Amino acid sequence: MVVFEKEFYLTEEEQKLKKFFGISMKPMINSYEGELLIEVFPIKHDKVNELYIYYQNIDEVNKKIYKDILTGLYNRNFYEEKISKIYNNLENISIILLDIDNFKSLNDTNGHIVGDEILKTLSKIIKERICSENYAIRMGGDEFLILIKKGKEEALDFAKIILSDFKKFGKSVSIGIAEKKIGLKTINELYKKADMALYTAKKKWEGNNSYK
């Protein structure tokens, strides 16, 4: 809903009167053309601030629904409810999956506070590097998903930057990347491709570090 102010001039009384109006827009039922039902209605002056606070609170609630509290990145709710629409509307998309190497052992050995700091460190690096048109999501645990509106090569370049930055803190991540192609009709199909690549990378890391 949008609230706006309109001035009316009462010529007979030579005074100016201010009125507030609200505009609400709703999709019409059984519409195949995307028509909207637009309603304009007056609002009492003392209700304007009350409505502003109400919708401001709704906006804050929506942000919390889709944000991960620990890292400040988007959460799995955002992936499940929003990313599919983005995926369907764009052709050039790649997914990067990141999984922190040896995280469970680090968490179990050093405690959850240290584990949380590691998660926040990686999240901070991602937030500093990612541009506004792309999306970073904490899928759960130590798995992160980055959706990039670019091809696989650009996604790989970006993943290398994240890996390099994270290594400065003495930590590493395994990475899986997949690019949208004909035949991958849903975001979950693309996710599975990236997850397979991540699994291969994780097994390779474990093989190289099994005796360390």
Side-chain angles (χ1 to χ4, degrees):
M1 188 186 78
V2 177
V3 176
F4 68 95
E5 183 182 33
K6 176 70 176 176
E7 290 184 346
F8 292 90
Y9 292 89
L10 305 179
T11 54
E12 292 182 0
E13 301 176 14
E14 296 184 352
Q15 63 178 341
K16 186 166 57 177
L17 181 66
K18 289 184 179 181
K19 286 280 188 179
F20 289 95
F21 293 86
I23 300 177
S24 68
M25 291 171 282
K26 301 176 183 177
M28 293 183 67
I29 299 173
N30 298 325
S31 169
Y32 297 100
E33 302 294 332
E35 294 101 336
L36 294 173
L37 178 64
I38 299 176
E39 180 185 4
V40 180
F41 51 90
I43 301 173
K44 291 183 178 179
H45 189 277
D46 59 350
K47 293 290 184 182
V48 172
N49 191 50
E50 181 182 320
L51 282 166
Y52 173 76
I53 293 172
Y54 172 75
Y55 283 101
Q56 193 176 41
N57 289 339
I58 292 294
D59 186 53
E60 289 299 318
V61 169
N62 287 335
K63 287 179 181 177
K64 289 177 181 178
I65 289 173
Y66 296 123
K67 288 286 186 176
D68 179 63
I69 296 173
L70 178 67
T71 64
L73 301 178
Y74 288 112
N75 59 21
R76 196 175 188 102
N77 288 335
F78 183 82
Y79 172 83
E80 298 288 351
E81 297 179 19
K82 301 293 183 180
I83 287 295
S84 61
K85 295 178 182 178
I86 297 167
Y87 181 85
N88 294 335
N89 290 329
L90 294 171
E91 292 299 324
N92 200 23
I93 286 180
S94 295
I95 276 182
I96 304 170
L97 286 183
L98 304 97
D99 190 273
I100 299 172
D101 295 326
N102 202 35
F103 181 75
K104 185 178 186 304
S105 178
L106 290 168
N107 211 24
D108 292 344
T109 303
N110 301 298
H112 293 291
I113 294 176
V114 173
D116 286 351
E117 288 303 315
I118 295 172
L119 294 171
K120 287 192 281 188
T121 297
L122 178 57
S123 301
K124 186 173 184 291
I125 291 169
I126 293 171
K127 284 187 283 189
E128 288 175 348
R129 291 293 188 175
I130 198 168
C131 64
S132 59
E133 68 173 4
N134 300 322
Y135 300 89
I137 303 165
R138 183 186 176 201
M139 296 295 284
D142 61 318
E143 183 181 295
F144 295 81
L145 181 151
I146 301 171
L147 185 143
I148 290 189
K149 298 177 183 179
K150 299 286 184 181
K152 192 173 182 178
E153 293 302 318
E154 291 91 340
L156 179 58
D157 290 340
F158 182 79
K160 287 178 178 178
I161 293 171
I162 300 299
L163 178 59
S164 176
D165 287 352
F166 199 45
K167 279 185 174 179
K168 295 174 184 177
F169 294 88
K171 303 292 185 294
S172 65
V173 291
S174 293
I175 297 169
I177 299 174
E179 180 181 19
K180 183 178 181 179
K181 294 181 178 179
I182 297 173
L184 297 176
K185 296 181 179 179
T186 68
I187 187 68
N188 287 332
E189 290 177 10
L190 183 62
Y191 174 87
K192 288 176 182 178
K193 289 283 185 183
D195 193 45
M196 289 171 61
L198 175 62
Y199 177 81
T200 301
K202 181 64 73 176
K203 286 298 179 183
K204 184 178 180 180
W205 181 89
E206 289 173 353
N208 292 337
N209 293 271
S210 58
Y211 299 106
K212 294 184 180 181

